[in-house]
PDB file of all heavy atoms in Angstrom:
ATOM      1  N   ARG L 100     -88.772-111.747-139.325  1.00  0.00           N
ATOM      2  CA  ARG L 100     -90.030-112.343-138.860  1.00  0.00           C
ATOM      3  C   ARG L 100     -90.278-113.699-139.536  1.00  0.00           C
ATOM      4  O   ARG L 100     -90.691-114.653-138.885  1.00  0.00           O
ATOM      5  CB  ARG L 100     -91.186-111.388-139.094  1.00  0.00           C
ATOM      6  CG  ARG L 100     -91.160-110.162-138.190  1.00  0.00           C
ATOM      7  CD  ARG L 100     -92.392-109.285-138.442  1.00  0.00           C
ATOM      8  NE  ARG L 100     -92.322-107.991-137.849  1.00  0.00           N
ATOM      9  CZ  ARG L 100     -92.561-107.698-136.569  1.00  0.00           C
ATOM     10  NH1 ARG L 100     -92.878-108.664-135.736  1.00  0.00           N
ATOM     11  NH2 ARG L 100     -92.484-106.462-136.126  1.00  0.00           N
ATOM     12  N   LEU L 101     -90.034-113.777-140.842  1.00  0.00           N
ATOM     13  CA  LEU L 101     -90.210-115.051-141.547  1.00  0.00           C
ATOM     14  C   LEU L 101     -89.191-116.090-141.070  1.00  0.00           C
ATOM     15  O   LEU L 101     -89.528-117.257-140.871  1.00  0.00           O
ATOM     16  CB  LEU L 101     -90.080-114.850-143.053  1.00  0.00           C
ATOM     17  CG  LEU L 101     -91.264-114.166-143.723  1.00  0.00           C
ATOM     18  CD1 LEU L 101     -90.944-113.834-145.171  1.00  0.00           C
ATOM     19  CD2 LEU L 101     -92.502-115.046-143.633  1.00  0.00           C
ATOM     20  N   ALA L 102     -87.957-115.665-140.871  1.00  0.00           N
ATOM     21  CA  ALA L 102     -86.920-116.580-140.387  1.00  0.00           C
ATOM     22  C   ALA L 102     -87.266-117.088-138.992  1.00  0.00           C
ATOM     23  O   ALA L 102     -87.073-118.270-138.691  1.00  0.00           O
ATOM     24  CB  ALA L 102     -85.568-115.875-140.379  1.00  0.00           C
ATOM     25  N   ARG L 103     -87.791-116.224-138.140  1.00  0.00           N
ATOM     26  CA  ARG L 103     -88.158-116.620-136.782  1.00  0.00           C
ATOM     27  C   ARG L 103     -89.265-117.673-136.813  1.00  0.00           C
ATOM     28  O   ARG L 103     -89.197-118.689-136.128  1.00  0.00           O
ATOM     29  CB  ARG L 103     -88.602-115.401-135.970  1.00  0.00           C
ATOM     30  CG  ARG L 103     -88.922-115.750-134.510  1.00  0.00           C
ATOM     31  CD  ARG L 103     -89.472-114.575-133.767  1.00  0.00           C
ATOM     32  NE  ARG L 103     -90.768-114.266-134.348  1.00  0.00           N
ATOM     33  CZ  ARG L 103     -91.412-113.125-134.198  1.00  0.00           C
ATOM     34  NH1 ARG L 103     -90.892-112.162-133.491  1.00  0.00           N
ATOM     35  NH2 ARG L 103     -92.580-112.932-134.742  1.00  0.00           N
ATOM     36  N   ARG L 104     -90.296-117.447-137.659  1.00  0.00           N
ATOM     37  CA  ARG L 104     -91.378-118.431-137.777  1.00  0.00           C
ATOM     38  C   ARG L 104     -90.846-119.773-138.284  1.00  0.00           C
ATOM     39  O   ARG L 104     -91.216-120.833-137.784  1.00  0.00           O
ATOM     40  CB  ARG L 104     -92.479-117.908-138.698  1.00  0.00           C
ATOM     41  CG  ARG L 104     -93.415-116.928-138.012  1.00  0.00           C
ATOM     42  CD  ARG L 104     -94.670-116.714-138.820  1.00  0.00           C
ATOM     43  NE  ARG L 104     -94.438-115.947-140.034  1.00  0.00           N
ATOM     44  CZ  ARG L 104     -94.554-114.634-140.121  1.00  0.00           C
ATOM     45  NH1 ARG L 104     -94.917-113.921-139.082  1.00  0.00           N
ATOM     46  NH2 ARG L 104     -94.336-114.013-141.259  1.00  0.00           N
ATOM     47  N   PHE L 105     -89.978-119.718-139.281  1.00  0.00           N
ATOM     48  CA  PHE L 105     -89.403-120.938-139.832  1.00  0.00           C
ATOM     49  C   PHE L 105     -88.575-121.666-138.766  1.00  0.00           C
ATOM     50  O   PHE L 105     -88.683-122.877-138.600  1.00  0.00           O
ATOM     51  CB  PHE L 105     -88.530-120.611-141.044  1.00  0.00           C
ATOM     52  CG  PHE L 105     -87.871-121.809-141.650  1.00  0.00           C
ATOM     53  CD1 PHE L 105     -88.584-122.671-142.467  1.00  0.00           C
ATOM     54  CD2 PHE L 105     -86.544-122.085-141.387  1.00  0.00           C
ATOM     55  CE1 PHE L 105     -87.981-123.793-143.015  1.00  0.00           C
ATOM     56  CE2 PHE L 105     -85.934-123.207-141.929  1.00  0.00           C
ATOM     57  CZ  PHE L 105     -86.652-124.062-142.748  1.00  0.00           C
ATOM     58  N   LEU L 106     -87.758-120.931-138.035  1.00  0.00           N
ATOM     59  CA  LEU L 106     -86.909-121.509-137.001  1.00  0.00           C
ATOM     60  C   LEU L 106     -87.737-122.135-135.886  1.00  0.00           C
ATOM     61  O   LEU L 106     -87.434-123.228-135.405  1.00  0.00           O
ATOM     62  CB  LEU L 106     -85.978-120.433-136.446  1.00  0.00           C
ATOM     63  CG  LEU L 106     -84.793-120.874-135.611  1.00  0.00           C
ATOM     64  CD1 LEU L 106     -83.914-121.852-136.366  1.00  0.00           C
ATOM     65  CD2 LEU L 106     -83.985-119.669-135.174  1.00  0.00           C
ATOM     66  N   GLN L 107     -88.823-121.477-135.495  1.00  0.00           N
ATOM     67  CA  GLN L 107     -89.689-122.008-134.444  1.00  0.00           C
ATOM     68  C   GLN L 107     -90.331-123.334-134.864  1.00  0.00           C
ATOM     69  O   GLN L 107     -90.560-124.209-134.030  1.00  0.00           O
ATOM     70  CB  GLN L 107     -90.775-120.995-134.080  1.00  0.00           C
ATOM     71  CG  GLN L 107     -90.223-119.809-133.309  1.00  0.00           C
ATOM     72  CD  GLN L 107     -91.234-118.689-133.152  1.00  0.00           C
ATOM     73  OE1 GLN L 107     -92.203-118.576-133.921  1.00  0.00           O
ATOM     74  NE2 GLN L 107     -91.011-117.829-132.168  1.00  0.00           N
ATOM     75  N   ALA L 108     -90.581-123.496-136.145  1.00  0.00           N
ATOM     76  CA  ALA L 108     -91.191-124.730-136.640  1.00  0.00           C
ATOM     77  C   ALA L 108     -90.197-125.885-136.731  1.00  0.00           C
ATOM     78  O   ALA L 108     -90.599-127.035-136.918  1.00  0.00           O
ATOM     79  CB  ALA L 108     -91.807-124.480-138.022  1.00  0.00           C
ATOM     80  N   GLN L 109     -88.914-125.609-136.564  1.00  0.00           N
ATOM     81  CA  GLN L 109     -87.881-126.638-136.694  1.00  0.00           C
ATOM     82  C   GLN L 109     -87.644-127.440-135.425  1.00  0.00           C
ATOM     83  O   GLN L 109     -86.920-128.414-135.451  1.00  0.00           O
ATOM     84  CB  GLN L 109     -86.550-126.005-137.125  1.00  0.00           C
ATOM     85  CG  GLN L 109     -86.615-125.249-138.424  1.00  0.00           C
ATOM     86  CD  GLN L 109     -87.194-126.076-139.554  1.00  0.00           C
ATOM     87  OE1 GLN L 109     -86.700-127.148-139.869  1.00  0.00           O
ATOM     88  NE2 GLN L 109     -88.260-125.589-140.162  1.00  0.00           N
ATOM     89  N   GLY L 110     -88.190-127.034-134.307  1.00  0.00           N
ATOM     90  CA  GLY L 110     -87.902-127.709-133.043  1.00  0.00           C
ATOM     91  C   GLY L 110     -86.894-126.912-132.257  1.00  0.00           C
ATOM     92  O   GLY L 110     -86.861-125.699-132.352  1.00  0.00           O
ATOM     93  N   SER L 111     -86.019-127.606-131.515  1.00  0.00           N
ATOM     94  CA  SER L 111     -85.071-126.848-130.701  1.00  0.00           C
ATOM     95  C   SER L 111     -83.656-127.417-130.698  1.00  0.00           C
ATOM     96  O   SER L 111     -82.744-126.772-130.206  1.00  0.00           O
ATOM     97  CB  SER L 111     -85.576-126.778-129.257  1.00  0.00           C
ATOM     98  OG  SER L 111     -85.688-128.085-128.731  1.00  0.00           O
ATOM     99  N   GLU L 112     -83.421-128.593-131.225  1.00  0.00           N
ATOM    100  CA  GLU L 112     -82.099-129.216-131.171  1.00  0.00           C
ATOM    101  C   GLU L 112     -81.152-128.655-132.235  1.00  0.00           C
ATOM    102  O   GLU L 112     -81.476-128.648-133.417  1.00  0.00           O
ATOM    103  CB  GLU L 112     -82.223-130.733-131.354  1.00  0.00           C
ATOM    104  CG  GLU L 112     -82.861-131.444-130.194  1.00  0.00           C
ATOM    105  CD  GLU L 112     -82.048-131.312-128.917  1.00  0.00           C
ATOM    106  OE1 GLU L 112     -80.823-131.513-128.963  1.00  0.00           O
ATOM    107  OE2 GLU L 112     -82.656-131.001-127.880  1.00  0.00           O
ATOM    108  N   GLY L 113     -79.987-128.201-131.792  1.00  0.00           N
ATOM    109  CA  GLY L 113     -78.937-127.770-132.705  1.00  0.00           C
ATOM    110  C   GLY L 113     -79.263-126.556-133.548  1.00  0.00           C
ATOM    111  O   GLY L 113     -78.697-126.388-134.627  1.00  0.00           O
ATOM    112  N   LEU L 114     -80.157-125.725-133.077  1.00  0.00           N
ATOM    113  CA  LEU L 114     -80.561-124.554-133.854  1.00  0.00           C
ATOM    114  C   LEU L 114     -79.831-123.303-133.376  1.00  0.00           C
ATOM    115  O   LEU L 114     -79.547-123.150-132.195  1.00  0.00           O
ATOM    116  CB  LEU L 114     -82.069-124.343-133.740  1.00  0.00           C
ATOM    117  CG  LEU L 114     -82.930-125.494-134.240  1.00  0.00           C
ATOM    118  CD1 LEU L 114     -84.393-125.190-134.023  1.00  0.00           C
ATOM    119  CD2 LEU L 114     -82.655-125.771-135.711  1.00  0.00           C
TER     120      LEU L 114
END
Side-chain angles (χ1 to χ4, degrees):
R100 290 183 192 280
L101 286 172
R103 183 185 67 197
R104 280 195 289 268
F105 178 78
L106 195 56
Q107 288 170 338
Q109 302 307 303
S111 61
E112 290 297 313
L114 300 178

